[in-house]
Amino acid sequence: MPRILIIDDEKAIRNTLKEILEFEDYKVDQAEDGPAGLDMLIQQKYDVVLCDIRMPKMDGLEVLTRAQAMGTDAAFIMVSAHGSIDTAVEATKKGAYDFLPKPPDLNRLLVTVRNALDRTKLVTETKTLKKKLSVTKGSEMVGSSAALGAVRKAIEKVAPTDARVLITGPNGAGKEMVARRLHELSQRANGPMVEVNCAAIPSELIESELFGHEKGSFTSAVKQRIGKFEQADGGTLFLDEIGDMSLSAQAKVLRALQENKITRVGGEKEISVNVRVLAATNKNLMQEIADRNFREDLYHRLSVILIQVPSLNDRREDIPELIQKFLNDIAADYGNKPKKIDTAALEYLKGLDWRGNIRELRNVVERLVIMSDDTITEGDAQAFAGK
């Protein structure tokens, strides 16, 4: 059911619009002023906003500007009893979908709302399509080795379910690609995939990052923040390097997985979330459990399915295919024709120790592209591979 928000300081106008729109089977909420409307836009996703221009505390054009800065996809229809052509033009320039005089003509109101809903749907579908194209590109798994084939087979079986997956393997081996592929092939593919690098976020901020916080909950919390769990609602949350998460954050993640509810830092309200959690780590979590750095109960919650991503040294036969892909990708990035590589150079690179895995191989190929002539030779590989 489409959801509409009415922001107007006149209660009679709000109630009249609400009654008309609910008769058309729309779900309608009301806000009495701009700040209250912005709070509701933070809490709830709306398809259309009917917003008065002249209001106390904050005028409608400022509400529009702030809502767009928040990243809302809702179509704004501005309404005013003091409208003019200049006001309508200014509202349109600021991103409003349309402008209606107050009191609005009933037929024009309903037609404008229907058109605005079509626009919102189109914007959402476009974003989803772009995301799917991006995910498809980012989750391309190159290689025909048996080791990679086993990973592909596991992904195909697990992806359509909502089972949690723990992805293990060394740094640079492609754990993120596995997570993206799981999301892409899942029933949540049209929903968001939100990624959190647990190792890159200071331990004192990880809880705010994951669960959000309320305004004033700590010194720098100058406004409310929506956490990654809420952002991933209806989709997938990927917790990368989960072995580096603090024990206090682990306890809250465990509760979220058990109850499908979270509480923002400094908040009291429980918020229901519908999220599939994927996790990845390069650490031996059983050893981390023995060292009391990781919760065993969380490990069992996360590891319904285990997928081990092989190192590049364990699938050397995929190196030629990977190199060719990187040559094509780098040429596209630079706007050049792809360089060639001779067989001797490929054999030399296949025999090296790739401790940095696919990430290291990609860097070496880019270096060879920059430093070599049209064809990369064995001599180039020996000189510039950095081994």
Side-chain angles (χ1 to χ4, degrees), residues 16-68:
T16 299
L17 291 174
K18 178 178 169 60
E19 184 177 344
I20 292 169
L21 293 169
E22 285 185 336
F23 185 78
E24 298 294 318
D25 288 332
Y26 298 130
K27 173 67 176 174
V28 183
D29 292 330
Q30 302 180 53
E32 61 186 8
D33 56 38
L38 288 174
D39 285 343
M40 294 182 74
L41 282 167
I42 291 172
Q43 299 284 348
Q44 177 66 51
K45 176 177 171 58
Y46 291 95
D47 300 292
V48 172
V49 178
L50 289 167
C51 185
D52 189 19
I53 289 183
R54 291 196 177 183
M55 294 184 291
K57 297 186 181 180
M58 184 184 299
D59 68 58
L61 294 179
E62 186 178 353
V63 174
L64 171 62
T65 301
R66 292 196 182 189
Q68 291 187 324

Side-chain angles (χ1 to χ4, degrees), residues 32-293:
E32 61 186 8
D33 56 38
L38 288 174
D39 285 343
M40 294 182 74
L41 282 167
I42 291 172
Q43 299 284 348
Q44 177 66 51
K45 176 177 171 58
Y46 291 95
D47 300 292
V48 172
V49 178
L50 289 167
C51 185
D52 189 19
I53 289 183
R54 291 196 177 183
M55 294 184 291
K57 297 186 181 180
M58 184 184 299
D59 68 58
L61 294 179
E62 186 178 353
V63 174
L64 171 62
T65 301
R66 292 196 182 189
Q68 291 187 324
M70 287 160 42
T72 181
D73 290 331
F76 266 71
I77 300 172
M78 310 307 294
V79 185
S80 178
H82 311 281
S84 66
I85 292 176
D86 290 342
T87 306
V89 169
E90 184 182 1
T92 304
K93 283 183 177 179
K94 288 181 178 292
Y97 174 76
D98 206 345
F99 177 89
L100 297 176
K102 187 189 287 186
D105 174 78
L106 175 59
N107 290 329
R108 185 180 173 187
L109 169 68
L110 295 178
V111 169
T112 302
V113 167
R114 282 195 291 268
N115 290 340
L117 286 168
D118 288 341
R119 175 260 186 196
T120 301
K121 183 179 178 182
L122 183 61
V123 168
T124 303
E125 288 176 349
T126 301
K127 284 188 174 182
T128 299
L129 179 59
K130 286 182 177 179
K131 184 179 292 185
K132 289 182 74 173
L133 289 172
S134 173
V135 167
T136 300
K137 182 178 178 183
S139 63
E140 185 180 0
M141 300 176 69
V142 176
S144 52
S145 64
L148 190 61
V151 173
R152 284 198 184 100
K153 188 174 181 180
I155 290 172
E156 289 170 3
K157 286 187 175 182
V158 175
T161 74
D162 255 357
R164 301 184 193 107
V165 182
L166 179 61
I167 308 163
T168 61
N171 283 333
K175 297 189 293 295
E176 182 180 347
M177 283 188 180
V178 172
R180 286 185 172 275
R181 191 64 177 161
L182 284 165
H183 174 73
E184 179 188 352
L185 296 178
S186 75
Q187 297 179 3
R188 298 171 176 265
N190 290 332
M193 178 173 177
V194 179
E195 302 177 30
V196 182
N197 186 336
C198 302
I201 304 170
S203 59
E204 63 272 16
L205 297 179
I206 187 68
E207 291 182 33
S208 171
E209 186 75 14
L210 291 174
F211 307 108
H213 61 247
E214 299 292 352
K215 181 179 178 181
S217 56
F218 49 88
T219 305
S220 58
V222 295
K223 62 180 181 179
Q224 185 188 65
R225 175 173 182 161
I226 303 300
K228 300 299 186 184
F229 266 90
E230 286 182 80
Q231 292 176 33
D233 191 45
T236 303
L237 178 64
F238 176 45
L239 301 175
D240 198 8
E241 303 302 345
I242 195 167
D244 293 281
M245 182 183 287
S246 67
L247 287 169
S248 60
Q250 289 177 37
K252 287 196 172 184
V253 169
L254 178 64
R255 177 179 176 273
L257 297 182
Q258 289 172 332
E259 303 178 9
N260 294 319
K261 293 179 181 179
I262 59 107
T263 303
R264 298 191 191 117
V265 176
E268 297 180 356
K269 178 184 175 183
E270 286 190 336
I271 301 167
S272 296
V273 288
N274 175 18
V275 174
R276 182 188 191 179
V277 173
L278 308 176
T281 183
N282 65 337
K283 292 187 174 182
N284 181 340
L285 289 188
M286 298 309 295
Q287 184 59 51
E288 294 296 306
I289 291 169
D291 294 339
R292 299 182 180 277
N293 294 324

